Amino acid sequence: MTLDHPQLTEHAIRTALGAPSGRTQEDGDHEARSRRSTPEPSAEFRRAARQFTAKWRPLVRSRRLQPGLKLGTGELWLTVLEPGTASARALASLGVEPVDARPLVLATIVPDGAPVPDWPDEVPAGGVRRLLDRLRGTGSAP
């Protein structure tokens, strides 16, 4: 527990993540593994990373974001704030809405004085998808 955020307790995090409290899983405990209701953490992170990348790339291409040589802490935060992740649910259960945190994270990524871009709610359609939508008559005209 912290003085600034008394709601951040181990119990609150375990409850938000759906983790059992005070019980460690033995390597051979097949029953405990089969009760897991959340996706495998690495699979969840890969999905969130794909979502992040699909949203990040158009912002970089349009030069609204300037990437560094490596992904930094801000990019990692944007990944864990993706909807549907355990980390986003944990923050929301503690009163921190991921949607509200994203502009703050983006502000740390852009240079001082540069406008903070809006983070897309949905993965933008790629060029192939836009072409197919136009051919089918379901997309909007450019």
Side-chain angles (χ1 to χ4, degrees):
M1 179 165 76
T2 66
L3 296 176
D4 294 335
H5 302 283
Q7 73 274 24
L8 293 177
T9 65
E10 180 181 348
H11 177 72
I13 297 296
R14 284 185 189 277
T15 301
L17 295 176
S21 180
R23 181 171 181 254
T24 59
Q25 177 180 325
E26 299 295 324
D27 287 336
D29 189 354
H30 298 289
E31 183 182 341
R33 266 188 263 140
S34 67
R35 287 191 307 248
R36 173 177 266 184
S37 62
T38 58
E40 174 73 26
S42 59
E44 180 182 272
F45 185 78
R46 281 192 303 272
R47 184 188 56 73
R50 282 192 303 269
Q51 293 279 346
F52 158 77
T53 301
K55 293 175 182 179
W56 171 262
R57 204 172 276 140
L59 293 174
V60 169
R61 285 186 182 138
S62 65
R63 301 194 188 278
R64 289 183 278 168
L65 288 176
Q66 302 294 319
L69 296 176
K70 297 180 185 179
L71 290 180
T73 306
E75 292 86 351
L76 180 59
W77 267 106
L78 290 171
T79 301
V80 301
L81 290 172
E82 276 299 308
T85 59
S87 52
R89 287 190 304 274
L91 287 171
S93 73
L94 297 169
V96 178
E97 288 301 321
V99 171
D100 297 337
R102 276 189 209 102
L104 301 172
V105 172
L106 285 165
T108 67
I109 296 173
V110 298
D112 289 340
V116 177
D118 291 327
W119 189 253
D121 292 328
E122 299 290 325
V123 173
V128 173
R129 175 42 124 213
R130 288 190 305 268
L131 176 62
L132 288 173
D133 287 347
R134 252 186 286 171
L135 291 173
R136 290 187 310 188
T138 59
S140 59

